[in-house]
Amino acid sequence: MRNIFLVIRREYLVRVKKKSFLVMTVLGPLLFVAFYGTVFWAAASSVDTKTVQVLDESGLFRNKFKDSETLKFVFTDKSIDSAKAAFPSSEANALVYIPANVIKAPKSVRIYAAKNVSLDLKSDIEKVIEKEIEDIKLAEAGITHKILEDSRVNINSETISLSEEGEKTSSSGAATVIGGICAFLIYMSVFIYGTQVMRGITEEKTSRIVEVIISSVKPFHLMLGKIIGVALVGLTQFVLWILLTTALTSATSAIIGIQLSKESVQVAKEMNKAPVPGQGMPGGNVDNPVTEVLGAVASLNIPLIIGCFLFYYLGGYLLYSALFGAVGAAVDNDADTQQFMLPITLPIIFSFVFAQFVLRDPDGTLAFWTSIIPFTSPIIMMVRIPFGVPAWEIALSMVLLILGFMGTTWIAARIYRVGILMYGKKVSYKELVKWIFYK
């Protein structure tokens, strides 16, 4: 046991002290926040204001096209031929022609431009024209637009979980997002850190350092120490990422929340109506999106999700890293690992694919069996847990995952003890089976 702890300590300290580990631990959350910040900034600032000329022969749309931050409308009284001739020399981005018979022939509307207009611009113009034609036809039928608007109802239902503890507000959207994120993190960690175990063993075998280590440490202890050591490295990095990301997102959310509050007050002043605390803006259900997100996350069982994530992260990693370690011991270089990687990675890939279907039906037959089978349970069960899973299913999944890790570790150890000192021989699946049953 002492030798295992020595190997764990060595593997952990060697990797944690690397500059690449320190840099990525700090840069990871910064890059994550910067990426989404850049996306939001680009979405808000990348669209320039476009000028649109409108030639309305019907006279029905003179005051219907309203300027916005991205669109400016200019009306012209020229004929269509004169307007098209003068368009190239103007600064307008598009010319909208509305014929006199637009009510009877709505498809006769034309949009002229030097090149293709964007889909958003085309859609905005069409919506204005469609709305006005609808109002005219409704008025002819004796129905005003106000009556039509009053008849429309926007349903925003609240989901409530019924359990032995009583009623509890839940959020399907938050459960979907949290489950997807947890599954993705486990999916990536198995590949990243499992591959590190395989490459570390291959490098030591190729450089013949392992021959010196094996003289003092049993092969099984060496393999187990490497697996656990790299697992602790990954866990340390995840914990630091979570802490740093939480701090950064909290600061960003606070800034966004303050900005949204200022904008809400300004809108209320413009509408000459004071906002009522806790009731959103008058004239619509416009709640603070930051508050909505925080409320949705708070509706989940966060301690259970975090505890299960740590268990399934470690369990999934330990199960697969043992197999990765066996592959590293069986080959002499990275090129030879490809033939053995496919059977190991297929269950992980299938798990991530199945997760998309499990999100649609967290309690279905596919969700149940894939969350119980050890090779798929780390990813699938983390998708299901935010939606609520019976305790007996979680317990059964955990027990089977532990048994699965013990089984893969036994197989990997049988391969490792023979392959770690095997050089210059191309290994086949048949040969690996023989190694497993050697006495």
Side-chain angles (χ1 to χ4, degrees):
M1 187 63 67
R2 179 175 177 273
N3 289 337
I4 295 178
F5 284 119
L6 289 175
V7 176
I8 292 173
R9 181 174 178 272
R10 173 184 175 275
E11 294 294 326
Y12 181 81
L13 293 178
V14 165
R15 285 172 169 79
V16 168
K17 289 181 179 180
K18 287 184 178 180
K19 291 183 179 179
S20 58
F21 175 86
L22 298 175
V23 170
M24 286 309 302
T25 300
V26 176
L27 285 183
L30 292 175
L31 291 175
F32 176 80
V33 174
F35 172 77
Y36 282 101
T38 303
V39 170
F40 289 128
W41 173 81
S45 62
S46 61
V47 180
D48 298 327
T49 302
K50 291 182 171 52
T51 302
V52 178
Q53 286 186 356
V54 180
L55 174 56
D56 180 18
E57 291 183 349
S58 67
L60 300 172
F61 302 90
R62 174 64 64 173
N63 299 318
K64 304 302 179 181
F65 289 95
K66 303 297 183 182
D67 293 344
S68 65
E69 294 182 358
T70 58
L71 292 176
K72 179 181 179 182
F73 295 97
V74 178
F75 286 84
T76 178
D77 295 324
K78 297 178 181 179
S79 65
I80 182 60
D81 293 332
S82 301
K84 288 194 293 184
F87 178 77
S89 60
S90 67
E91 296 181 356
N93 299 97
L95 169 64
V96 179
Y97 170 61
I98 305 175
N101 63 339
V102 66
I103 301 297
K104 295 181 179 180
K107 293 186 178 181
S108 59
V109 176
R110 297 289 182 267
I111 300 177
Y112 300 95
K115 54 184 180 179
N116 286 339
V117 296
S118 67
L119 189 61
D120 288 341
L121 176 59
K122 181 176 181 292
S123 177
D124 290 340
I125 294 171
E126 290 175 349
K127 285 179 181 178
V128 173
I129 300 174
E130 287 173 357
K131 181 177 178 299
E132 183 61 21
I133 293 176
E134 287 176 0
D135 288 346
I136 293 172
K137 290 186 175 182
L138 288 172
E140 291 176 352
I143 303 174
T144 63
H145 190 70
K146 185 178 184 304
I147 295 175
L148 185 63
E149 288 293 331
D150 291 341
S151 66
R152 292 174 180 170
V153 180
N154 182 20
I155 301 297
N156 186 11
S157 62
E158 180 181 7
T159 56
I160 299 174
S161 300
L162 297 176
S163 62
E164 296 178 355
E165 301 175 356
E167 297 183 2
K168 181 181 178 182
T169 302
S170 61
S171 173
S172 300
T176 301
V177 172
I178 296 297
I181 290 175
C182 291
F184 179 74
L185 290 177
I186 294 176
Y187 172 79
M188 293 300 298
S189 66
V190 169
F191 271 112
I192 294 173
Y193 299 111
T195 305
Q196 284 188 17
V197 173
M198 182 183 67
R199 289 180 176 174
I201 293 174
T202 304
E203 289 175 2
E204 290 183 353
K205 180 179 177 181
T206 304
S207 62
R208 301 295 180 95
I209 295 177
V210 72
E211 296 179 3
V212 179
I213 301 176
I214 289 298
S215 63
S216 304
V217 183
K218 292 182 179 180
F220 175 75
H221 294 169
L222 178 60
M223 184 193 73
L224 194 61
K226 283 184 173 295
I227 292 173
I228 297 176
V230 176
L232 293 177
V233 173
L235 191 60
T236 301
Q237 195 165 51
F238 268 119
V239 170
L240 293 175
W241 276 348
I242 291 171
L243 294 176
L244 291 173
T245 303
T246 301
L248 290 172
T249 52
S250 298
T252 305
S253 299
I255 295 172
I256 294 175
I258 294 172
Q259 184 64 30
L260 289 173
S261 299
K262 291 180 179 178
E263 292 178 358
S264 299
V265 173
Q266 183 63 31
V267 171
K269 290 180 179 178
E270 293 176 357
M271 297 173 63
N272 293 321
K273 294 181 181 179
V276 180
Q279 296 184 4
M281 288 300 304
N285 184 18
V286 185
D287 296 325
N288 190 326
V290 176
T291 304
E292 290 184 0
V293 171
L294 295 178
V297 173
S299 68
L300 302 176
N301 191 343
I302 300 300
L304 175 65
I305 293 174
I306 293 177
C308 288
F309 173 78
L310 294 176
F311 177 86
Y312 282 104
Y313 162 78
L314 289 173
Y317 161 80
L318 292 173
L319 185 145
Y320 279 102
S321 61
L323 297 178
F324 279 114
V327 172
V331 300
D332 291 336
N333 53 68
D334 289 338
D336 294 336
T337 62
Q338 301 306 313
Q339 61 174 323
F340 301 110
M341 287 286 288
L342 184 61
I344 298 175
T345 56
L346 273 180
I348 312 175
I349 296 172
F350 281 142
S351 300
F352 195 70
V353 174
F354 290 154
Q356 319 305 315
F357 303 103
V358 173
L359 285 172
R360 300 178 185 176
D361 186 10
D363 298 316
T365 303
L366 176 66
F368 172 78
W369 287 109
T370 52
S371 63
I372 296 299
I373 299 172
F375 288 97
T376 56
S377 63
I379 292 176
I380 302 300
M381 185 56 84
M382 282 313 306
V383 171
R384 295 184 61 202
I385 283 176
F387 291 93
V389 180
W392 71 269
E393 290 187 21
I394 298 177
L396 177 61
S397 174
M398 288 181 172
V399 170
L400 291 178
L401 182 58
I402 293 173
L403 294 176
F405 161 64
M406 293 172 64
T408 56
T409 303
W410 180 83
I411 293 173
R414 305 289 292 184
I415 297 174
Y416 190 91
R417 66 192 179 110
V418 177
I420 197 65
L421 296 176
M422 186 76 68
Y423 298 97
K425 182 179 181 180
K426 293 292 183 181
V427 182
S428 63
Y429 287 104
K430 183 179 180 180
E431 191 73 19
L432 291 180
V433 173
K434 290 182 179 179
W435 292 1
I436 294 175
F437 293 101
Y438 277 164
K439 293 184 179 180

